[in-house]
Amino acid sequence: MLEDLTIKDFALIDYDYLEFKEGFTVLSGETGAGKSILIGALSFLLGGKAEVSQIRTGKKEASVCGTFVIKSEKVRDVLTEEDEPLNSCEWLKMHGIEVENNRVLLRRFIKDTGKSSAWINDTPVTRNELSQFSSFLVDIHGQHEHQSLMKVLEHRKYLDARAGISGDVELFTKKYAELVSKRKELENYSMSDSERLRNLDMMTFAVKEISEAKLKKDEDVSLEDEQTRLVSYEKIYSDIVSINQMMNDDEKSVVSLLKKIRRDASHLAELDKSVSDLDSRLESAFYELSDVADEFCNYQNSLVFDQNRLQQVEDRLSLIYNLKKKYASSINAPLSEVFDYLENAQHYIEENGEGNNYKEKLESEIKKLEKDVLISAENLSKKRKETAGILNTEVNEILSKLGMKGTRFEVSIKQKSGTDLQQNCGPYGKDDIEFMISANPGNPLLPLAKIASGGELSRVMLALKTIFAQTDSVDTLIFDEIDTGIGGEVAVAVGSHLKNLAKKRQIFCITHLASIAVYADNQIKIEKTVSGEITSSNVHVIEGEERVSEIARMLSGDANTEQSLEHARLLLSKYSKI
C-alpha cells in the first residue's frame, strides 16, 4: 500500500507531500490541471522512463519519494540468483535489503545533466531493479507503463493462480528442468565409442600421474617459500650477522647501550619519582629487545645451507608445474585446480569405464521423466482450459456492466508447436496462453495488447482485477482514463466495481465523472495556478464542503449553484461519506 508521496520540482509540481489511506481514492480536477502529472510522477518513482523534460522549469533536479507498506509474505528458505522472486519480500531478501516495520522507502532523482538515480531504502538500485521490485507493489492501468496484464508472459500466471495450480506448475518446472538436464547429460555421453575410449585413456593416465605425485594441499606455496630461502642463503646470512653485531656483539651494541641507559634511568627514578613511568617503560623495552636479540642469535645458529635440499625442492616444484601445465588453467593457478581435475577424471572413468551401464540408466530415467512430464502437462492443460471457460464468462459479464456489451474476452490456449515432447513442452507445460479481446461485435479476437483506447483498456483491466482480487498480490491499483467514452449507468457501474475492488486493494482512479467520484472513500484535487509567468499544479486532499463543491463542479461545471451543491450532497450521502 502507498502510504505517502513526496514530489519536488517534477513537471508543474513545485512541492507536494501527500498521505494516502486504504480504500478507494479519486483524483479529480479540471482538464489540464495536471492529474496525469501526479500519475506520471508515481510512474517515474516506480521505474518509468526518466527524462530531463520532467524537471520543473528553472530547476536543476526533480525527485519523487514514496513510502510503501508491504505485506509479510512467505519467503523460501533457499534462494539462488536463478530463482524468480515470488513476492516483494523474496525480492528484497535476494538483494540483501532489510525492512523495518513492514515499510520500504523508494526514492528517485533526475538531474538536468540527464543522470538519474534510484534507491530502495538506503540501497542504490538500477532502473530495471526498481521496476522489477515495484511491479510487486503497484499496477498502473491506462496510458502509462507498469501494466502487468499487458505482458503476455504474465497471462499464464494469472490463469494458473485463478485455477489454483501455481504450486503444481512450480513442481512441474522443477521436473522439466531435471528432464532437460538428463537429456543434456545423455547427449554429452552419447559420443562415438572411439572418442569415448580416447577420453577414457586420457583420464586414466591423468588419474595415475596425479595420484603417483602424492600432492599435498598448498604444497607448491610452501615449497616456493623454502626455495626462496635456500637460493637467498648468502644474503640472509649476511643480513643476520650484521643484525646480531649491531644488537649484541660489543659494548656499543644496541642491547649494551640500552642496558646502560636503563641503569641510569633507574638511578634517576630513585631521585625523582616523576620519571618512574618512563623507567618502567624503558625496562620493558630492554627486556623485549633482549629477547628479540636472543631470537635473532638462535636464528643465525639454525641457518644451514643444504644444496641437496635445494635440488629436491626445485625438482618437486618442476613436477608440480608440469602437472599444472597439463591439468590446470596455468602454471600460476592454485594447486586445487589439479585436485579438481583428478576428481572429475575419476568421475568420468566411473561413468565410462568398461562394463558400466550408465547410458542405459540415463535412458531409463529420461523415459520415466518424459512420461511423468507429459502426464503433468496434460493435467495442467486440462485445469487451465476448465478455468479459462469460467473466466471468459465472468469477464464478459463484468465488461457488459461496464459499458462494453459488444466486447468479447477470451483466454487463448494453444498447444506449443512441435512433434515430440522436447519441442511441444516448456518449463510451464504444453500451453501458450494469451488474453484475447474483440472490442466490437463481428470483429476478430486480437491480443489484449492491441487495444487502442485507454478507457477500454482500463475497463478490461478493472474486470480482470475484480476477478483476480483473491489471487493477485499487487496491493495498489491505479486506473487512468477509465471513464473515457462512458457515462450514465455505466459510470455508476464502474464506480461500484471500484468500490468493491477497494475492499481488498488500495485503488486510485483519475476521473472526470461525479458518478464515479462519489463512490470514493477519499478524494484528492489537482489544481493549476498561475503566478506571474510561473504555472504550478497543486495537489491536496479534500473533505467536507470542499469535496461537495468539487463534486458539484464535476456534475454541472459550476460549483456555486445551490442545485448542483444539493445534488452533490445527495450523491455523497448515498454512496460515500462527506
Side-chain angles (χ1 to χ4, degrees):
M1 182 190 107
L2 178 59
E3 190 171 57
D4 59 55
L5 191 67
T6 303
I7 307 171
K8 185 177 180 183
D9 295 329
F10 187 92
L12 295 178
I13 298 176
D14 177 20
Y15 176 85
D16 271 311
Y17 171 76
L18 293 166
E19 293 184 351
F20 302 103
K21 300 177 181 178
E22 296 178 343
F24 179 19
T25 298
V26 154
L27 286 71
S28 65
E30 295 183 358
T31 301
K35 297 184 293 299
S36 292
I37 292 176
L38 183 61
I39 302 301
L42 186 55
S43 179
F44 168 76
L45 175 64
L46 300 174
K49 192 173 182 180
E51 298 177 339
V52 173
S53 59
Q54 293 167 324
I55 303 174
R56 182 171 168 81
T57 302
K59 301 297 181 179
K60 298 287 187 182
E61 178 183 87
S63 64
V64 183
C65 306
T67 304
F68 289 84
V69 180
I70 62 173
K71 294 179 292 188
S72 296
E73 297 179 284
K74 184 179 179 180
V75 176
R76 287 169 286 179
D77 294 332
V78 179
L79 289 169
T80 66
E81 293 182 357
E82 289 74 27
D83 288 326
E84 182 179 349
L86 301 179
N87 53 57
S88 59
C89 294
E90 282 200 347
W91 194 97
L92 292 168
K93 180 181 178 180
M94 291 175 71
H95 290 79
I97 300 176
E98 298 291 333
V99 178
E100 292 185 9
N101 300 321
N102 284 22
R103 283 167 172 78
V104 291
L105 175 64
L106 271 58
R107 294 177 291 153
R108 197 167 183 213
F109 303 82
I110 180 168
K111 297 181 180 294
D112 58 1
T113 59
K115 182 180 180 182
S116 66
S117 54
W119 282 265
I120 298 177
N121 287 346
D122 293 326
T123 302
V125 294
T126 64
R127 176 192 170 192
N128 187 49
E129 289 172 333
L130 181 64
S131 181
Q132 287 175 355
F133 173 66
S134 63
S135 67
F136 292 109
L137 308 179
V138 180
D139 262 341
I140 300 179
H141 303 299
Q143 62 182 338
H144 295 280
E145 302 174 8
H146 231 65
Q147 302 163 359
S148 63
L149 284 171
M150 293 295 287
K151 301 172 185 175
V152 175
L153 294 177
E154 297 293 309
H155 296 181
R156 190 268 312 163
K157 294 181 184 178
Y158 280 107
L159 183 62
D160 289 347
R162 186 61 200 279
I165 59 173
S166 297
D168 295 335
V169 174
E170 190 174 339
L171 292 175
F172 176 88
T173 301
K174 292 179 180 178
K175 190 178 293 185
Y176 182 82
E178 184 182 359
L179 174 59
V180 171
S181 176
K182 292 286 185 184
R183 280 177 171 157
K184 186 174 181 180
E185 196 173 354
L186 179 61
E187 183 181 341
N188 292 335
Y189 183 87
S190 298
M191 60 183 70
S192 68
D193 286 341
S194 59
E195 184 178 356
R196 186 161 61 87
L197 289 172
R198 280 197 302 272
N199 287 340
L200 191 60
D201 286 343
M202 183 175 66
M203 295 300 176
T204 302
F205 178 81
V207 168
K208 182 176 183 295
E209 186 176 28
I210 297 172
S211 299
E212 288 178 349
K214 297 180 180 179
L215 300 172
K216 298 176 183 177
K217 183 182 178 182
D218 298 326
E219 182 181 358
D220 54 336
V221 176
S222 60
L223 286 172
E224 286 169 352
D225 289 342
E226 186 177 0
Q227 182 190 40
T228 300
R229 289 195 301 273
L230 290 169
V231 169
S232 306
Y233 175 81
E234 291 184 2
K235 176 60 178 170
I236 291 172
Y237 190 82
S238 173
D239 288 343
I240 191 61
V241 167
S242 175
I243 290 170
N244 283 330
Q245 286 176 345
M246 288 185 286
M247 291 197 74
N248 212 17
D249 259 15
D250 54 37
E251 292 183 358
K252 292 183 179 181
S253 68
V254 173
V255 174
S256 297
L257 291 173
L258 192 57
K259 186 175 182 179
K260 293 177 182 178
I261 295 171
R262 178 174 170 268
R263 182 189 61 203
D264 293 342
S266 177
H267 184 256
L268 177 62
E270 291 177 0
L271 301 176
D272 186 352
K273 300 297 183 185
S274 65
V275 297
S276 294
D277 287 344
L278 292 175
D279 179 48
S280 297
R281 289 167 63 187
L282 188 62
E283 183 178 13
S284 297
F286 169 74
Y287 285 125
E288 176 66 19
L289 196 59
S290 295
D291 187 58
V292 170
D294 289 341
E295 290 292 334
F296 272 126
C297 186
N298 292 335
Y299 176 75
Q300 179 180 339
N301 294 333
S302 69
L303 280 177
V304 176
F305 176 70
D306 187 342
Q307 181 65 45
N308 291 332
R309 178 55 186 166
L310 176 60
Q311 187 62 50
Q312 290 173 358
V313 168
E314 289 180 339
D315 289 345
R316 185 66 176 172
L317 281 174
S318 177
L319 172 64
I320 291 174
Y321 292 154
N322 185 50
L323 291 175
K324 283 186 179 182
K325 189 175 181 180
K326 287 183 179 181
Y327 307 118
S329 55
S330 72
I331 61 171
N332 295 317
L335 192 57
S336 59
E337 288 190 13
V338 177
F339 288 115
D340 290 341
Y341 192 97
L342 173 64
E343 183 179 350
N344 292 332
Q346 289 170 332
H347 181 67
Y348 185 89
I349 293 170
E350 289 174 7
E351 292 184 353
N352 294 273
E354 186 177 349
N356 81 83
N357 61 349
Y358 188 70
K359 182 178 180 181
E360 290 77 7
K361 180 184 175 184
L362 266 180
E363 289 172 339
S364 176
E365 289 175 350
I366 289 171
K367 190 174 181 179
K368 183 178 183 302
L369 275 172
E370 285 179 341
K371 183 177 179 181
D372 291 345
V373 166
L374 185 58
I375 293 173
S376 298
E378 291 285 357
N379 290 335
L380 292 176
S381 185
K382 181 179 178 182
K383 291 176 182 178
R384 284 167 176 161
K385 288 173 182 176
E386 291 172 355
T387 303
I390 298 170
L391 185 61
N392 293 343
T393 300
E394 291 175 333
V395 172
N396 286 321
E397 285 177 356
I398 295 175
L399 290 179
S400 179
K401 294 175 183 177
L402 297 180
M404 298 176 70
K405 272 190 177 179
T407 301
R408 182 164 59 98
F409 172 89
E410 187 175 300
V411 180
S412 169
I413 301 179
K414 295 180 180 179
Q415 185 171 324
K416 292 182 180 294
S417 60
T419 56
D420 58 35
L421 181 64
Q422 189 166 2
Q423 290 175 306
N424 62 25
C425 233
Y428 308 109
K430 58 182 289 188
D431 306 311
D432 284 327
I433 298 165
E434 185 170 9
F435 293 164
M436 310 289 285
I437 196 162
S438 170
N440 297 295
N443 285 2
L445 287 163
L446 294 173
L448 190 64
K450 293 187 178 296
I451 295 178
S453 164
E456 286 179 327
L457 177 58
S458 287
R459 277 177 280 166
V460 172
M461 296 304 176
L462 175 57
L464 290 168
K465 284 295 181 180
T466 302
I467 295 168
F468 290 136
Q470 298 294 332
T471 54
D472 188 1
S473 62
V474 177
D475 271 341
T476 301
L477 310 178
I478 299 173
F479 293 93
D480 190 8
E481 293 188 342
I482 201 167
D483 55 8
T484 302
I486 66 172
E489 293 181 0
V490 174
V492 172
V494 169
S496 177
H497 265 85
L498 289 171
K499 183 81 169 181
N500 288 331
L501 190 56
K503 292 176 182 178
K504 299 182 180 296
R505 298 287 185 270
Q506 183 187 39
I507 305 296
F508 291 91
C509 175
I510 290 180
T511 185
H512 295 277
L513 299 178
S515 47
I516 292 178
V518 291
Y519 278 96
D521 302 304
N522 321 291
Q523 188 160 348
I524 294 172
K525 185 178 181 180
I526 297 94
E527 294 179 294
K528 183 182 289 185
T529 60
V530 180
S531 177
E533 297 182 355
I534 300 176
T535 303
S536 300
S537 284
N538 299 312
V539 186
H540 64 283
V541 177
I542 56 175
E543 298 175 324
E545 285 301 314
E546 188 178 4
R547 187 177 181 194
V548 171
S549 179
E550 174 64 5
I551 294 295
R553 181 197 65 77
M554 297 173 74
L555 283 167
S556 63
D558 189 347
N560 297 316
T561 65
E562 188 56 39
Q563 185 178 5
S564 60
L565 289 169
E566 186 59 32
H567 190 190
R569 289 190 186 93
L570 180 64
L571 290 174
L572 285 168
S573 65
K574 183 176 181 180
Y575 298 113
S576 186
K577 295 178 182 179
I578 298 178

